[in-house]
Amino acid sequence: MEKPAILGGTPVRDNKIYYGRQWVSEEDIAAVSEVLRGPYITCGPKVTEAERKLESYTGAKHAVVVNSGTSALHCACIAAGVGEGDEVITTPITFAASANCALYCGAKPVFADIDPETYNIDPESIRKCITDKTKAVIAVDYTGQAVKADEIRAICDEFGLVFIEDAAHSIGTKYKGKYVGNIADMTCFSFHPVKTVTAGEGGAILTNDDDLYTKLVLAHAHGITHDEALMEDAPHEGEWYYEEISLGYNYRMTDFQAALLISQLGRIDEFVARRKEIVKRYDEAFANVPGIIIQKNIPESDTSRHLYVIRLDLDKLTCTRREFFDAMSAENVQCQIHYVPVYWFPYYRHLGYEKGLCPNAEEVYKGIMSIPLYPKMTDKDVEDTIHAVTKLATYYAK
Ligand SMILES: *Cc1c(COP(=O)(O)O)cnc(C)c1O
């Protein structure tokens, strides 16, 4: 049996790899430089081009590009009419922004539990969380696997709720043959560097609804319009005139970031294919490793996986999750945990949330760990990661 590096054995590799990493090419850099040399570094033609590109890629009618995935979620809540006293249902196994966006609007996040095998929000649990204050559901495509959109849609229709999909992980995924972005009332993407395509920082909201689109455009740019049809004091006083007709923010993306996004979107098929290839290899490698549980694949989801999450079966191992994590770091495979249940954080605790709210989420959290997954990984990186996981699972087997 191989000795773990943390106990003095030889690490599976010499240099560290991380759970996620961007892939910026020379073409991407050239595209950004070109914009920086030109007249518009923000609010120029590249933002519009990126929006059209996201529409054609997903099949959605409208896209609004913004400066982060978090801003995208905030705009979606504003467009949904989420306000003081409302409730918004989401999952606890997500990045904090999926719930924070409800707080930004003065609403209360309500946490529905997850499916213990796919780790996505459980529609039956959503149903149980609904009250007469519920305004919207923010369902997260955790790790990139599409949520049960048909069931969530049916619940939203029954109770008059807005269906927002937090697709920060899932650009490139298809649900029942349709691209994510063209399914929920509004879909939010993130272009943070660890996500599937990057703009440095960035996000987008997609919708097929004209009214929501108008509200999203206003929300992301100061609530200001140049469209006479929307003005209250029209006919306007001159070409220079514009009106603020609602409260909005400055959530615009710069043109040079949009250029990076366009260039990255040009490579998305390649990124998605490589992610799928790595996931397939991992699934095969870990299928029969005692102590390692793999995430259940959702058959309706043709998934572009953003994260590969293994779950330690702690009853079958002599180590804790913490010890396994530290031992992986010593092997030079840097993992991460996605995510601490959002309502466990002190800020949420001080708002009155208590442990025990979502038992499945809390149980799953105890064992999960994201191992490296990004398109630039070499086959050797993939094999080293498999080696590290199986080495430690074997060493620590009961
Ligand atoms: C990354 C992420 C966000 C936030 O996106 P940013 O672009 O970092 O603001 C929101 N939700 C989920 C699930 C994410 O992973």
Short mmCIF file of all heavy atoms in Angstrom, two decimals, residues 67-71 73 93-98 140-141 166-169 189-192 194-195 201-203 306 339, ligand 1:
data_model
loop_
_atom_site.label_atom_id
_atom_site.label_comp_id
_atom_site.label_asym_id
_atom_site.label_seq_id
_atom_site.Cartn_x
_atom_site.Cartn_y
_atom_site.Cartn_z
N ASN A 67 -21.86 42.83 -14.99
CA ASN A 67 -20.47 42.76 -14.51
C ASN A 67 -20.16 41.59 -13.57
O ASN A 67 -19.02 41.43 -13.16
CB ASN A 67 -20.06 44.09 -13.88
CG ASN A 67 -20.90 44.44 -12.68
OD1 ASN A 67 -21.88 43.75 -12.38
ND2 ASN A 67 -20.57 45.49 -11.99
N SER A 68 -21.18 40.81 -13.17
CA SER A 68 -20.91 39.59 -12.39
C SER A 68 -22.15 38.71 -12.36
O SER A 68 -23.27 39.17 -12.66
CB SER A 68 -20.49 39.92 -10.95
OG SER A 68 -21.60 40.33 -10.19
N GLY A 69 -21.95 37.47 -11.98
CA GLY A 69 -23.08 36.56 -11.80
C GLY A 69 -23.97 37.03 -10.66
O GLY A 69 -25.20 36.84 -10.69
N THR A 70 -23.35 37.64 -9.67
CA THR A 70 -24.11 38.16 -8.52
C THR A 70 -25.02 39.30 -8.97
O THR A 70 -26.20 39.34 -8.59
CB THR A 70 -23.11 38.64 -7.45
OG1 THR A 70 -22.26 37.55 -7.11
CG2 THR A 70 -23.83 39.13 -6.21
N SER A 71 -24.49 40.20 -9.80
CA SER A 71 -25.33 41.28 -10.35
C SER A 71 -26.46 40.70 -11.19
O SER A 71 -27.58 41.22 -11.16
CB SER A 71 -24.51 42.21 -11.24
OG SER A 71 -23.37 42.68 -10.59
N LEU A 73 -28.01 37.89 -10.74
CA LEU A 73 -29.04 37.40 -9.82
C LEU A 73 -29.82 38.56 -9.19
O LEU A 73 -31.04 38.49 -9.04
CB LEU A 73 -28.40 36.54 -8.72
CG LEU A 73 -27.92 35.17 -9.17
CD1 LEU A 73 -26.92 34.58 -8.16
CD2 LEU A 73 -29.10 34.21 -9.35
N ILE A 93 -27.05 24.49 -0.73
CA ILE A 93 -25.77 24.00 -1.26
C ILE A 93 -25.47 24.79 -2.53
O ILE A 93 -25.67 24.35 -3.66
CB ILE A 93 -25.82 22.47 -1.51
CG1 ILE A 93 -26.08 21.74 -0.19
CG2 ILE A 93 -24.50 21.96 -2.14
CD1 ILE A 93 -24.97 21.88 0.87
N THR A 94 -25.01 26.03 -2.30
CA THR A 94 -24.73 26.94 -3.39
C THR A 94 -23.80 28.02 -2.89
O THR A 94 -23.56 28.13 -1.69
CB THR A 94 -26.02 27.58 -3.94
OG1 THR A 94 -25.70 28.39 -5.08
CG2 THR A 94 -26.71 28.46 -2.90
N PHE A 95 -23.32 28.84 -3.82
CA PHE A 95 -22.56 30.02 -3.43
C PHE A 95 -23.53 31.03 -2.81
O PHE A 95 -24.69 31.12 -3.24
CB PHE A 95 -21.86 30.60 -4.67
CG PHE A 95 -20.97 31.76 -4.35
CD1 PHE A 95 -19.91 31.61 -3.48
CD2 PHE A 95 -21.22 33.01 -4.89
CE1 PHE A 95 -19.09 32.68 -3.17
CE2 PHE A 95 -20.40 34.08 -4.60
CZ PHE A 95 -19.34 33.92 -3.73
N ALA A 96 -23.04 31.77 -1.82
CA ALA A 96 -23.91 32.66 -1.04
C ALA A 96 -24.74 33.62 -1.88
O ALA A 96 -25.86 33.99 -1.49
CB ALA A 96 -23.04 33.45 -0.06
N ALA A 97 -24.22 34.00 -3.06
CA ALA A 97 -24.92 34.98 -3.90
C ALA A 97 -26.33 34.55 -4.28
O ALA A 97 -27.21 35.39 -4.46
CB ALA A 97 -24.11 35.26 -5.16
N SER A 98 -26.57 33.22 -4.40
CA SER A 98 -27.90 32.73 -4.80
C SER A 98 -28.96 33.13 -3.77
O SER A 98 -30.14 33.22 -4.10
CB SER A 98 -27.93 31.21 -4.91
OG SER A 98 -26.82 30.71 -5.58
N VAL A 140 -30.59 26.23 -8.51
CA VAL A 140 -29.18 26.24 -8.93
C VAL A 140 -28.84 24.92 -9.62
O VAL A 140 -29.09 23.84 -9.06
CB VAL A 140 -28.26 26.42 -7.69
CG1 VAL A 140 -26.79 26.41 -8.10
CG2 VAL A 140 -28.62 27.69 -6.93
N ASP A 141 -28.27 25.00 -10.80
CA ASP A 141 -27.80 23.80 -11.51
C ASP A 141 -26.45 23.41 -10.90
O ASP A 141 -25.39 23.69 -11.48
CB ASP A 141 -27.62 24.08 -13.00
CG ASP A 141 -28.92 24.49 -13.69
OD1 ASP A 141 -29.98 23.97 -13.31
OD2 ASP A 141 -28.86 25.33 -14.60
N ASP A 166 -30.27 29.73 -11.47
CA ASP A 166 -28.89 30.15 -11.25
C ASP A 166 -28.02 29.13 -11.99
O ASP A 166 -27.78 28.02 -11.51
CB ASP A 166 -28.56 30.19 -9.76
CG ASP A 166 -27.12 30.61 -9.49
OD1 ASP A 166 -26.29 30.55 -10.42
OD2 ASP A 166 -26.82 30.97 -8.33
N ALA A 167 -27.60 29.54 -13.18
CA ALA A 167 -26.85 28.65 -14.07
C ALA A 167 -25.38 29.04 -14.12
O ALA A 167 -24.71 28.88 -15.15
CB ALA A 167 -27.49 28.68 -15.46
N ALA A 168 -24.88 29.54 -12.99
CA ALA A 168 -23.47 29.93 -12.91
C ALA A 168 -22.56 28.75 -13.28
O ALA A 168 -21.45 28.95 -13.77
CB ALA A 168 -23.15 30.44 -11.51
N HIS A 169 -23.06 27.51 -13.03
CA HIS A 169 -22.24 26.32 -13.29
C HIS A 169 -22.56 25.67 -14.64
O HIS A 169 -21.90 24.72 -15.02
CB HIS A 169 -22.51 25.24 -12.22
CG HIS A 169 -22.15 25.64 -10.83
ND1 HIS A 169 -22.26 24.79 -9.76
CD2 HIS A 169 -21.66 26.80 -10.33
CE1 HIS A 169 -21.86 25.41 -8.66
NE2 HIS A 169 -21.50 26.63 -8.97
N PHE A 189 -26.06 33.57 -15.69
CA PHE A 189 -24.74 32.97 -15.88
C PHE A 189 -23.68 33.78 -15.13
O PHE A 189 -23.88 34.97 -14.87
CB PHE A 189 -24.34 32.98 -17.37
CG PHE A 189 -25.13 32.04 -18.25
CD1 PHE A 189 -25.49 32.43 -19.54
CD2 PHE A 189 -25.48 30.77 -17.81
CE1 PHE A 189 -26.20 31.56 -20.37
CE2 PHE A 189 -26.19 29.90 -18.64
CZ PHE A 189 -26.55 30.30 -19.92
N SER A 190 -22.56 33.14 -14.81
CA SER A 190 -21.40 33.83 -14.25
C SER A 190 -20.22 33.57 -15.16
O SER A 190 -20.05 32.46 -15.67
CB SER A 190 -21.08 33.29 -12.86
OG SER A 190 -19.76 33.66 -12.48
N PHE A 191 -19.39 34.60 -15.33
CA PHE A 191 -18.17 34.45 -16.13
C PHE A 191 -16.92 34.70 -15.29
O PHE A 191 -15.93 35.26 -15.76
CB PHE A 191 -18.24 35.37 -17.36
CG PHE A 191 -19.49 35.19 -18.17
CD1 PHE A 191 -20.36 36.26 -18.41
CD2 PHE A 191 -19.84 33.93 -18.67
CE1 PHE A 191 -21.53 36.08 -19.14
CE2 PHE A 191 -21.02 33.76 -19.39
CZ PHE A 191 -21.87 34.84 -19.64
N HIS A 192 -17.01 34.30 -14.03
CA HIS A 192 -15.85 34.31 -13.13
C HIS A 192 -14.79 33.33 -13.70
O HIS A 192 -15.17 32.34 -14.36
CB HIS A 192 -16.32 33.87 -11.73
CG HIS A 192 -15.24 33.81 -10.71
ND1 HIS A 192 -14.41 32.71 -10.59
CD2 HIS A 192 -14.84 34.69 -9.79
CE1 HIS A 192 -13.54 32.95 -9.62
NE2 HIS A 192 -13.78 34.14 -9.11
N VAL A 194 -13.17 30.73 -12.73
CA VAL A 194 -13.28 29.27 -12.58
C VAL A 194 -14.45 28.69 -13.37
O VAL A 194 -14.54 27.48 -13.54
CB VAL A 194 -13.39 28.78 -11.11
CG1 VAL A 194 -12.13 29.08 -10.34
CG2 VAL A 194 -14.62 29.33 -10.42
N LYS A 195 -15.36 29.53 -13.83
CA LYS A 195 -16.54 29.03 -14.53
C LYS A 195 -16.19 28.60 -15.96
O LYS A 195 -15.05 28.79 -16.40
CB LYS A 195 -17.64 30.10 -14.51
CG LYS A 195 -17.98 30.62 -13.09
CD LYS A 195 -18.68 29.59 -12.21
CE LYS A 195 -18.66 29.92 -10.74
NZ LYS A 195 -19.45 31.04 -10.30
N GLU A 201 -14.39 39.07 -14.65
CA GLU A 201 -15.62 39.04 -13.86
C GLU A 201 -16.72 39.29 -14.87
O GLU A 201 -16.52 40.02 -15.85
CB GLU A 201 -15.66 40.15 -12.80
CG GLU A 201 -14.64 40.03 -11.69
CD GLU A 201 -15.06 39.10 -10.54
OE1 GLU A 201 -16.14 38.47 -10.63
OE2 GLU A 201 -14.29 39.01 -9.57
N GLY A 202 -17.89 38.72 -14.64
CA GLY A 202 -18.98 39.00 -15.55
C GLY A 202 -20.15 38.08 -15.33
O GLY A 202 -20.04 37.09 -14.59
N GLY A 203 -21.26 38.43 -15.93
CA GLY A 203 -22.46 37.61 -15.83
C GLY A 203 -23.43 37.98 -16.92
O GLY A 203 -23.16 38.90 -17.71
N HIS A 306 -19.23 21.79 -14.33
CA HIS A 306 -18.32 22.84 -13.86
C HIS A 306 -17.44 22.31 -12.73
O HIS A 306 -16.25 22.62 -12.66
CB HIS A 306 -19.13 24.06 -13.41
CG HIS A 306 -18.44 24.96 -12.44
ND1 HIS A 306 -17.22 25.54 -12.71
CD2 HIS A 306 -18.77 25.37 -11.20
CE1 HIS A 306 -16.86 26.28 -11.65
NE2 HIS A 306 -17.76 26.18 -10.72
N TYR A 339 -20.58 23.27 -1.18
CA TYR A 339 -20.40 24.50 -0.43
C TYR A 339 -20.78 24.24 1.01
O TYR A 339 -21.57 23.32 1.27
CB TYR A 339 -21.37 25.58 -0.97
CG TYR A 339 -21.10 25.97 -2.41
CD1 TYR A 339 -21.78 25.35 -3.45
CD2 TYR A 339 -20.18 26.98 -2.73
CE1 TYR A 339 -21.54 25.72 -4.78
CE2 TYR A 339 -19.96 27.35 -4.05
CZ TYR A 339 -20.64 26.72 -5.07
OH TYR A 339 -20.41 27.07 -6.37
C1 LIG B 1 -20.02 31.84 -9.11
C2 LIG B 1 -21.43 31.74 -8.64
C3 LIG B 1 -22.26 32.86 -8.46
C4 LIG B 1 -21.75 34.26 -8.50
O1 LIG B 1 -21.11 34.62 -9.65
P1 LIG B 1 -20.03 35.80 -9.65
O2 LIG B 1 -19.80 36.00 -11.11
O3 LIG B 1 -18.82 35.29 -8.92
O4 LIG B 1 -20.65 36.98 -8.99
C5 LIG B 1 -23.59 32.65 -8.15
N1 LIG B 1 -24.07 31.42 -7.99
C6 LIG B 1 -23.32 30.33 -8.11
C7 LIG B 1 -23.93 28.98 -7.93
C8 LIG B 1 -21.96 30.44 -8.42
O5 LIG B 1 -21.19 29.36 -8.51
#
